[in-house]
mmCIF file of all heavy atoms in Angstrom:
data_model
loop_
_atom_site.group_PDB
_atom_site.id
_atom_site.type_symbol
_atom_site.label_atom_id
_atom_site.label_comp_id
_atom_site.label_asym_id
_atom_site.label_seq_id
_atom_site.Cartn_x
_atom_site.Cartn_y
_atom_site.Cartn_z
ATOM 1 N N GLY P 99 -3.891 17.995 9.764
ATOM 2 C CA GLY P 99 -3.445 17.006 8.773
ATOM 3 C C GLY P 99 -1.987 17.115 8.371
ATOM 4 O O GLY P 99 -1.583 16.630 7.319
ATOM 5 N N PRO P 101 1.724 15.956 8.176
ATOM 6 C CA PRO P 101 2.397 14.663 8.402
ATOM 7 C C PRO P 101 3.247 14.693 9.681
ATOM 8 O O PRO P 101 3.878 15.709 9.988
ATOM 9 C CB PRO P 101 3.296 14.521 7.171
ATOM 10 C CG PRO P 101 2.636 15.323 6.113
ATOM 11 C CD PRO P 101 2.005 16.495 6.828
ATOM 12 N N VAL P 102 3.242 13.581 10.382
ATOM 13 C CA VAL P 102 3.975 13.486 11.650
ATOM 14 C C VAL P 102 5.465 13.796 11.449
ATOM 15 O O VAL P 102 6.078 14.498 12.262
ATOM 16 C CB VAL P 102 3.785 12.086 12.284
ATOM 17 C CG1 VAL P 102 4.720 11.882 13.460
ATOM 18 C CG2 VAL P 102 2.344 11.891 12.724
ATOM 19 N N LYS P 103 6.020 13.270 10.365
ATOM 20 C CA LYS P 103 7.458 13.458 10.142
ATOM 21 C C LYS P 103 7.799 14.955 9.994
ATOM 22 O O LYS P 103 8.809 15.417 10.510
ATOM 23 C CB LYS P 103 7.909 12.695 8.888
ATOM 24 C CG LYS P 103 9.425 12.621 8.757
ATOM 25 C CD LYS P 103 9.874 11.589 7.747
ATOM 26 C CE LYS P 103 9.579 12.036 6.340
ATOM 27 N NZ LYS P 103 9.949 10.996 5.347
ATOM 28 N N ASP P 104 6.929 15.690 9.333
ATOM 29 C CA ASP P 104 7.163 17.127 9.159
ATOM 30 C C ASP P 104 7.176 17.835 10.515
ATOM 31 O O ASP P 104 7.987 18.729 10.763
ATOM 32 C CB ASP P 104 6.065 17.748 8.276
ATOM 33 C CG ASP P 104 6.066 17.197 6.863
ATOM 34 O OD1 ASP P 104 6.809 16.224 6.617
ATOM 35 O OD2 ASP P 104 5.325 17.726 6.017
ATOM 36 N N LEU P 106 7.846 16.454 13.378
ATOM 37 C CA LEU P 106 9.037 15.989 14.096
ATOM 38 C C LEU P 106 10.202 16.947 13.827
ATOM 39 O O LEU P 106 10.908 17.381 14.740
ATOM 40 C CB LEU P 106 9.375 14.600 13.564
ATOM 41 C CG LEU P 106 10.021 13.547 14.426
ATOM 42 C CD1 LEU P 106 9.053 13.066 15.476
ATOM 43 C CD2 LEU P 106 10.429 12.355 13.567
ATOM 44 N N GLU P 110 11.753 20.085 16.361
ATOM 45 C CA GLU P 110 13.179 20.080 16.655
ATOM 46 C C GLU P 110 13.788 21.431 16.257
ATOM 47 O O GLU P 110 14.627 21.995 16.966
ATOM 48 C CB GLU P 110 13.850 18.934 15.884
ATOM 49 C CG GLU P 110 15.242 18.579 16.327
ATOM 50 C CD GLU P 110 15.284 18.009 17.734
ATOM 51 O OE1 GLU P 110 14.258 17.549 18.247
ATOM 52 O OE2 GLU P 110 16.390 18.060 18.332
ATOM 53 N N PHE P 141 -17.919 35.505 20.436
ATOM 54 C CA PHE P 141 -18.959 35.961 21.370
ATOM 55 C C PHE P 141 -19.176 35.005 22.542
ATOM 56 O O PHE P 141 -19.688 35.382 23.572
ATOM 57 C CB PHE P 141 -20.275 36.173 20.607
ATOM 58 C CG PHE P 141 -20.945 34.891 20.217
ATOM 59 C CD1 PHE P 141 -21.882 34.311 21.051
ATOM 60 C CD2 PHE P 141 -20.622 34.239 19.032
ATOM 61 C CE1 PHE P 141 -22.499 33.124 20.713
ATOM 62 C CE2 PHE P 141 -21.224 33.051 18.693
ATOM 63 C CZ PHE P 141 -22.159 32.488 19.524
ATOM 64 N N THR P 156 -14.654 22.470 19.373
ATOM 65 C CA THR P 156 -16.018 22.741 19.824
ATOM 66 C C THR P 156 -16.211 22.441 21.308
ATOM 67 O O THR P 156 -17.034 23.063 21.960
ATOM 68 C CB THR P 156 -17.037 21.933 18.989
ATOM 69 O OG1 THR P 156 -16.541 20.611 18.791
ATOM 70 C CG2 THR P 156 -17.251 22.601 17.644
ATOM 71 N N GLU P 160 -17.908 24.774 24.140
ATOM 72 C CA GLU P 160 -18.889 24.249 25.079
ATOM 73 C C GLU P 160 -18.497 24.614 26.507
ATOM 74 O O GLU P 160 -19.315 25.116 27.289
ATOM 75 C CB GLU P 160 -18.958 22.717 24.923
ATOM 76 C CG GLU P 160 -19.822 21.985 25.923
ATOM 77 C CD GLU P 160 -21.304 22.254 25.728
ATOM 78 O OE1 GLU P 160 -21.756 22.240 24.574
ATOM 79 O OE2 GLU P 160 -22.008 22.503 26.727
ATOM 80 N N ASP P 163 -18.825 28.350 27.172
ATOM 81 C CA ASP P 163 -20.232 28.699 27.274
ATOM 82 C C ASP P 163 -20.772 28.365 28.670
ATOM 83 O O ASP P 163 -21.478 29.157 29.284
ATOM 84 C CB ASP P 163 -20.994 27.923 26.202
ATOM 85 C CG ASP P 163 -22.448 28.315 26.128
ATOM 86 O OD1 ASP P 163 -22.704 29.506 25.879
ATOM 87 O OD2 ASP P 163 -23.311 27.457 26.346
ATOM 88 N N LYS P 167 -22.160 30.833 31.530
ATOM 89 C CA LYS P 167 -23.513 30.653 32.074
ATOM 90 C C LYS P 167 -23.505 30.451 33.580
ATOM 91 O O LYS P 167 -24.497 30.699 34.250
ATOM 92 C CB LYS P 167 -24.182 29.465 31.383
ATOM 93 C CG LYS P 167 -24.528 29.774 29.933
ATOM 94 C CD LYS P 167 -25.762 29.027 29.480
ATOM 95 C CE LYS P 167 -26.302 29.627 28.195
ATOM 96 N NZ LYS P 167 -25.516 29.190 27.013
ATOM 97 N N GLY P 237 -13.847 10.753 25.656
ATOM 98 C CA GLY P 237 -13.527 9.445 25.085
ATOM 99 C C GLY P 237 -13.606 8.302 26.085
ATOM 100 O O GLY P 237 -12.945 7.278 25.916
ATOM 101 N N GLN P 238 -14.440 8.474 27.139
ATOM 102 C CA GLN P 238 -14.615 7.380 28.106
ATOM 103 C C GLN P 238 -15.209 6.157 27.432
ATOM 104 O O GLN P 238 -15.027 5.038 27.888
ATOM 105 C CB GLN P 238 -15.528 7.829 29.248
ATOM 106 C CG GLN P 238 -14.948 8.992 30.061
ATOM 107 C CD GLN P 238 -16.022 9.693 30.891
ATOM 108 O OE1 GLN P 238 -16.720 9.067 31.664
ATOM 109 N NE2 GLN P 238 -16.149 10.992 30.719
ATOM 110 N N THR P 239 -15.943 6.377 26.341
ATOM 111 C CA THR P 239 -16.598 5.258 25.654
ATOM 112 C C THR P 239 -15.884 4.901 24.348
ATOM 113 O O THR P 239 -16.422 4.138 23.550
ATOM 114 C CB THR P 239 -18.070 5.630 25.335
ATOM 115 O OG1 THR P 239 -18.081 6.916 24.719
ATOM 116 C CG2 THR P 239 -18.912 5.675 26.593
ATOM 117 N N LYS P 244 -8.688 2.643 17.915
ATOM 118 C CA LYS P 244 -9.368 3.369 16.831
ATOM 119 C C LYS P 244 -9.075 4.855 16.985
ATOM 120 O O LYS P 244 -9.154 5.394 18.080
ATOM 121 C CB LYS P 244 -10.889 3.158 16.932
ATOM 122 C CG LYS P 244 -11.342 1.826 16.385
ATOM 123 C CD LYS P 244 -11.795 2.006 14.959
ATOM 124 C CE LYS P 244 -12.496 0.755 14.442
ATOM 125 N NZ LYS P 244 -12.852 0.901 13.027
ATOM 126 N N ARG P 245 -8.758 5.502 15.889
ATOM 127 C CA ARG P 245 -8.478 6.926 15.898
ATOM 128 C C ARG P 245 -9.797 7.693 15.899
ATOM 129 O O ARG P 245 -10.560 7.607 14.953
ATOM 130 C CB ARG P 245 -7.680 7.275 14.638
ATOM 131 C CG ARG P 245 -6.515 8.142 14.869
ATOM 132 C CD ARG P 245 -5.626 8.171 13.644
ATOM 133 N NE ARG P 245 -4.599 7.148 13.698
ATOM 134 C CZ ARG P 245 -3.531 7.217 14.482
ATOM 135 N NH1 ARG P 245 -3.330 8.242 15.244
ATOM 136 N NH2 ARG P 245 -2.646 6.244 14.486
ATOM 137 N N GLY P 247 -11.228 10.686 15.229
ATOM 138 C CA GLY P 247 -11.218 12.010 14.607
ATOM 139 C C GLY P 247 -9.873 12.690 14.657
ATOM 140 O O GLY P 247 -9.215 12.874 13.653
ATOM 141 N N GLY P 250 -4.314 12.344 17.163
ATOM 142 C CA GLY P 250 -3.705 11.898 18.415
ATOM 143 C C GLY P 250 -4.652 11.152 19.328
ATOM 144 O O GLY P 250 -4.238 10.623 20.357
ATOM 145 N N GLY P 254 -3.594 3.638 23.008
ATOM 146 C CA GLY P 254 -2.534 2.698 22.667
ATOM 147 C C GLY P 254 -2.420 1.618 23.722
ATOM 148 O O GLY P 254 -2.474 0.432 23.442
ATOM 149 N N ASP P 280 -21.171 19.154 33.173
ATOM 150 C CA ASP P 280 -20.974 19.661 34.537
ATOM 151 C C ASP P 280 -19.763 20.589 34.692
ATOM 152 O O ASP P 280 -19.412 20.973 35.801
ATOM 153 C CB ASP P 280 -20.806 18.478 35.511
ATOM 154 C CG ASP P 280 -22.055 17.616 35.580
ATOM 155 O OD1 ASP P 280 -23.137 18.157 35.292
ATOM 156 O OD2 ASP P 280 -21.944 16.420 35.894
ATOM 157 N N GLU P 283 -20.669 24.426 36.207
ATOM 158 C CA GLU P 283 -21.142 24.444 37.601
ATOM 159 C C GLU P 283 -20.060 24.000 38.554
ATOM 160 O O GLU P 283 -19.921 24.545 39.660
ATOM 161 C CB GLU P 283 -22.359 23.520 37.755
ATOM 162 C CG GLU P 283 -23.618 24.107 37.146
ATOM 163 C CD GLU P 283 -24.767 23.101 37.136
ATOM 164 O OE1 GLU P 283 -24.682 22.100 37.898
ATOM 165 O OE2 GLU P 283 -25.710 23.324 36.377
ATOM 166 N N ARG Y 132 5.375 10.076 21.927
ATOM 167 C CA ARG Y 132 4.692 11.365 21.994
ATOM 168 C C ARG Y 132 5.236 12.249 23.102
ATOM 169 O O ARG Y 132 5.187 13.474 23.007
ATOM 170 C CB ARG Y 132 3.183 11.147 22.165
ATOM 171 C CG ARG Y 132 2.584 10.583 20.892
ATOM 172 C CD ARG Y 132 1.171 10.097 21.084
ATOM 173 N NE ARG Y 132 0.251 11.179 21.371
ATOM 174 C CZ ARG Y 132 -1.060 11.061 21.286
ATOM 175 N NH1 ARG Y 132 -1.584 9.922 20.911
ATOM 176 N NH2 ARG Y 132 -1.854 12.076 21.551
ATOM 177 N N SER Y 135 8.451 13.673 21.426
ATOM 178 C CA SER Y 135 8.342 14.031 20.004
ATOM 179 C C SER Y 135 9.544 13.508 19.201
ATOM 180 O O SER Y 135 10.034 14.161 18.291
ATOM 181 C CB SER Y 135 8.209 15.541 19.799
ATOM 182 O OG SER Y 135 7.042 16.019 20.410
ATOM 183 N N HIS Y 136 10.037 12.344 19.597
ATOM 184 C CA HIS Y 136 11.094 11.681 18.839
ATOM 185 C C HIS Y 136 10.625 10.275 18.481
ATOM 186 O O HIS Y 136 9.808 9.688 19.200
ATOM 187 C CB HIS Y 136 12.372 11.563 19.675
ATOM 188 C CG HIS Y 136 13.128 12.859 19.768
ATOM 189 N ND1 HIS Y 136 14.348 12.950 20.370
ATOM 190 C CD2 HIS Y 136 12.841 14.105 19.346
ATOM 191 C CE1 HIS Y 136 14.783 14.187 20.315
ATOM 192 N NE2 HIS Y 136 13.872 14.917 19.705
ATOM 193 N N GLU Y 150 2.955 -5.649 25.257
ATOM 194 C CA GLU Y 150 2.307 -5.050 26.434
ATOM 195 C C GLU Y 150 2.474 -5.947 27.663
ATOM 196 O O GLU Y 150 2.597 -5.463 28.771
ATOM 197 C CB GLU Y 150 0.838 -4.764 26.149
ATOM 198 C CG GLU Y 150 0.681 -3.504 25.329
ATOM 199 C CD GLU Y 150 -0.749 -3.219 24.917
ATOM 200 O OE1 GLU Y 150 -1.669 -3.879 25.417
ATOM 201 O OE2 GLU Y 150 -0.928 -2.323 24.077
ATOM 202 N N GLU Y 205 11.310 5.762 7.807
ATOM 203 C CA GLU Y 205 11.391 7.174 7.442
ATOM 204 C C GLU Y 205 10.876 7.416 6.036
ATOM 205 O O GLU Y 205 10.097 8.331 5.792
ATOM 206 C CB GLU Y 205 12.853 7.630 7.521
ATOM 207 C CG GLU Y 205 13.334 7.853 8.921
ATOM 208 C CD GLU Y 205 13.634 9.312 9.155
ATOM 209 O OE1 GLU Y 205 14.645 9.794 8.627
ATOM 210 O OE2 GLU Y 205 12.842 9.965 9.858
ATOM 211 N N ASP Y 208 7.102 7.322 5.533
ATOM 212 C CA ASP Y 208 6.276 8.148 6.422
ATOM 213 C C ASP Y 208 5.370 7.253 7.265
ATOM 214 O O ASP Y 208 4.164 7.470 7.339
ATOM 215 C CB ASP Y 208 5.399 9.105 5.603
ATOM 216 C CG ASP Y 208 6.062 10.459 5.410
ATOM 217 O OD1 ASP Y 208 6.355 11.098 6.425
ATOM 218 O OD2 ASP Y 208 6.288 10.849 4.252
ATOM 219 N N ASP Y 235 1.261 6.747 8.057
ATOM 220 C CA ASP Y 235 0.679 8.017 8.495
ATOM 221 C C ASP Y 235 -0.308 8.504 7.438
ATOM 222 O O ASP Y 235 0.093 8.876 6.334
ATOM 223 C CB ASP Y 235 1.810 9.040 8.707
ATOM 224 C CG ASP Y 235 1.284 10.409 9.126
ATOM 225 O OD1 ASP Y 235 0.061 10.555 9.350
ATOM 226 O OD2 ASP Y 235 2.118 11.344 9.244
ATOM 227 N N ASN Y 237 -1.856 11.187 7.132
ATOM 228 C CA ASN Y 237 -1.624 12.570 6.728
ATOM 229 C C ASN Y 237 -0.516 12.717 5.693
ATOM 230 O O ASN Y 237 -0.361 13.770 5.087
ATOM 231 C CB ASN Y 237 -1.267 13.426 7.947
ATOM 232 C CG ASN Y 237 -2.468 13.663 8.841
ATOM 233 O OD1 ASN Y 237 -3.599 13.432 8.433
ATOM 234 N ND2 ASN Y 237 -2.225 14.112 10.058
ATOM 235 N N ARG Y 241 1.827 12.209 -0.408
ATOM 236 C CA ARG Y 241 3.098 12.142 -1.129
ATOM 237 C C ARG Y 241 3.565 10.710 -1.390
ATOM 238 O O ARG Y 241 4.717 10.480 -1.746
ATOM 239 C CB ARG Y 241 4.169 12.973 -0.418
ATOM 240 C CG ARG Y 241 4.415 12.644 1.027
ATOM 241 C CD ARG Y 241 5.357 13.689 1.651
ATOM 242 N NE ARG Y 241 5.528 13.465 3.067
ATOM 243 C CZ ARG Y 241 5.755 14.437 3.944
ATOM 244 N NH1 ARG Y 241 5.838 15.678 3.563
ATOM 245 N NH2 ARG Y 241 5.916 14.146 5.224
ATOM 246 N N GLU Y 258 -18.223 2.849 7.398
ATOM 247 C CA GLU Y 258 -17.142 3.826 7.579
ATOM 248 C C GLU Y 258 -16.597 4.267 6.228
ATOM 249 O O GLU Y 258 -16.273 5.433 6.024
ATOM 250 C CB GLU Y 258 -16.030 3.236 8.464
ATOM 251 C CG GLU Y 258 -16.493 3.001 9.891
ATOM 252 C CD GLU Y 258 -15.437 2.381 10.811
ATOM 253 O OE1 GLU Y 258 -14.255 2.342 10.426
ATOM 254 O OE2 GLU Y 258 -15.808 1.930 11.902
ATOM 255 N N ASN Y 267 -16.468 11.812 9.212
ATOM 256 C CA ASN Y 267 -15.586 10.955 9.988
ATOM 257 C C ASN Y 267 -16.458 10.108 10.907
ATOM 258 O O ASN Y 267 -16.949 10.578 11.927
ATOM 259 C CB ASN Y 267 -14.638 11.844 10.795
ATOM 260 C CG ASN Y 267 -13.410 11.080 11.225
ATOM 261 O OD1 ASN Y 267 -13.425 9.851 11.301
ATOM 262 N ND2 ASN Y 267 -12.346 11.802 11.512
ATOM 263 N N ILE Y 269 -17.199 6.322 12.875
ATOM 264 C CA ILE Y 269 -16.701 5.041 13.375
ATOM 265 C C ILE Y 269 -17.860 4.292 13.992
ATOM 266 O O ILE Y 269 -18.567 4.811 14.853
ATOM 267 C CB ILE Y 269 -15.568 5.239 14.412
ATOM 268 C CG1 ILE Y 269 -14.362 5.868 13.727
ATOM 269 C CG2 ILE Y 269 -15.185 3.916 15.059
ATOM 270 C CD1 ILE Y 269 -13.321 6.385 14.683
ATOM 271 N N ASN Y 280 -20.481 18.182 15.666
ATOM 272 C CA ASN Y 280 -19.413 18.888 14.959
ATOM 273 C C ASN Y 280 -18.181 18.999 15.855
ATOM 274 O O ASN Y 280 -18.239 19.532 16.945
ATOM 275 C CB ASN Y 280 -19.874 20.255 14.435
ATOM 276 C CG ASN Y 280 -20.257 21.242 15.513
ATOM 277 O OD1 ASN Y 280 -20.630 20.861 16.615
ATOM 278 N ND2 ASN Y 280 -20.160 22.508 15.204
ATOM 279 N N LEU Y 284 -15.888 17.150 20.918
ATOM 280 C CA LEU Y 284 -17.294 17.204 21.339
ATOM 281 C C LEU Y 284 -18.013 15.905 20.976
ATOM 282 O O LEU Y 284 -18.898 15.463 21.692
ATOM 283 C CB LEU Y 284 -17.985 18.418 20.702
ATOM 284 C CG LEU Y 284 -19.383 18.768 21.248
ATOM 285 C CD1 LEU Y 284 -19.334 19.073 22.736
ATOM 286 C CD2 LEU Y 284 -19.986 19.954 20.496
ATOM 287 N N MET Y 289 -20.630 11.023 23.047
ATOM 288 C CA MET Y 289 -20.714 9.583 23.281
ATOM 289 C C MET Y 289 -20.717 9.286 24.776
ATOM 290 O O MET Y 289 -21.474 8.448 25.266
ATOM 291 C CB MET Y 289 -19.507 8.880 22.642
ATOM 292 C CG MET Y 289 -19.578 8.778 21.125
ATOM 293 S SD MET Y 289 -17.954 8.438 20.363
ATOM 294 C CE MET Y 289 -17.277 7.172 21.404
ATOM 295 N N ASP Y 290 -19.864 10.006 25.490
ATOM 296 C CA ASP Y 290 -19.773 9.794 26.944
ATOM 297 C C ASP Y 290 -21.098 10.162 27.617
ATOM 298 O O ASP Y 290 -21.541 9.484 28.557
ATOM 299 C CB ASP Y 290 -18.624 10.630 27.534
ATOM 300 C CG ASP Y 290 -17.260 10.204 26.983
ATOM 301 O OD1 ASP Y 290 -17.181 9.091 26.413
ATOM 302 O OD2 ASP Y 290 -16.293 10.964 27.119
ATOM 303 N N ILE Y 338 -18.996 29.462 13.985
ATOM 304 C CA ILE Y 338 -19.049 30.087 12.682
ATOM 305 C C ILE Y 338 -20.311 29.612 11.961
ATOM 306 O O ILE Y 338 -20.993 30.369 11.291
ATOM 307 C CB ILE Y 338 -17.785 29.701 11.865
ATOM 308 C CG1 ILE Y 338 -16.504 30.001 12.652
ATOM 309 C CG2 ILE Y 338 -17.816 30.392 10.520
ATOM 310 C CD1 ILE Y 338 -16.250 31.423 13.054
ATOM 311 N N ARG Y 365 -29.710 19.020 19.760
ATOM 312 C CA ARG Y 365 -29.231 20.011 20.706
ATOM 313 C C ARG Y 365 -28.379 21.020 19.946
ATOM 314 O O ARG Y 365 -27.332 20.677 19.399
ATOM 315 C CB ARG Y 365 -28.411 19.319 21.793
ATOM 316 C CG ARG Y 365 -27.942 20.237 22.899
ATOM 317 C CD ARG Y 365 -26.579 20.805 22.609
ATOM 318 N NE ARG Y 365 -26.150 21.690 23.684
ATOM 319 C CZ ARG Y 365 -24.895 21.985 23.934
ATOM 320 N NH1 ARG Y 365 -23.936 21.464 23.206
ATOM 321 N NH2 ARG Y 365 -24.588 22.807 24.900
ATOM 322 N N GLN Y 367 -26.481 24.701 20.168
ATOM 323 C CA GLN Y 367 -26.012 25.743 21.091
ATOM 324 C C GLN Y 367 -25.058 26.636 20.314
ATOM 325 O O GLN Y 367 -24.421 26.215 19.360
ATOM 326 C CB GLN Y 367 -25.313 25.077 22.284
ATOM 327 C CG GLN Y 367 -24.695 26.010 23.268
ATOM 328 C CD GLN Y 367 -25.711 26.944 23.944
ATOM 329 O OE1 GLN Y 367 -26.263 27.848 23.325
ATOM 330 N NE2 GLN Y 367 -25.941 26.700 25.222
ATOM 331 N N THR Y 369 -24.316 30.282 18.153
ATOM 332 C CA THR Y 369 -24.926 31.337 17.338
ATOM 333 C C THR Y 369 -26.356 30.988 16.916
ATOM 334 O O THR Y 369 -26.573 29.950 16.300
ATOM 335 C CB THR Y 369 -24.075 31.560 16.059
ATOM 336 O OG1 THR Y 369 -22.714 31.522 16.421
ATOM 337 C CG2 THR Y 369 -24.400 32.887 15.411
ATOM 338 N N LYS Y 392 -27.139 19.492 29.467
ATOM 339 C CA LYS Y 392 -27.822 18.713 30.515
ATOM 340 C C LYS Y 392 -29.207 18.268 30.060
ATOM 341 O O LYS Y 392 -29.602 17.128 30.301
ATOM 342 C CB LYS Y 392 -27.959 19.567 31.780
ATOM 343 C CG LYS Y 392 -26.791 19.423 32.716
ATOM 344 C CD LYS Y 392 -27.269 19.473 34.157
ATOM 345 C CE LYS Y 392 -26.225 18.872 35.053
ATOM 346 N NZ LYS Y 392 -25.394 19.823 35.729
#
Side-chain angles (χ1 to χ4, degrees):
Chain P
V102 170
K103 192 166 72 183
D104 296 8
L106 211 70
E110 194 66 19
F141 73 92
T156 42
E160 174 70 44
D163 186 60
K167 289 211 164 78
Q238 297 162 55
T239 49
K244 281 265 190 184
R245 226 167 268 286
D280 296 335
E283 286 172 18
Chain Y
R132 290 169 66 164
S135 298
H136 283 186
E150 281 175 10
E205 284 246 287
D208 267 301
D235 178 5
N237 288 345
R241 54 189 176 211
E258 293 179 13
N267 200 338
I269 294 167
N280 64 335
L284 191 60
M289 286 162 44
D290 297 343
I338 307 299
R365 184 268 180 157
Q367 176 62 290
T369 319
K392 269 217 161 100

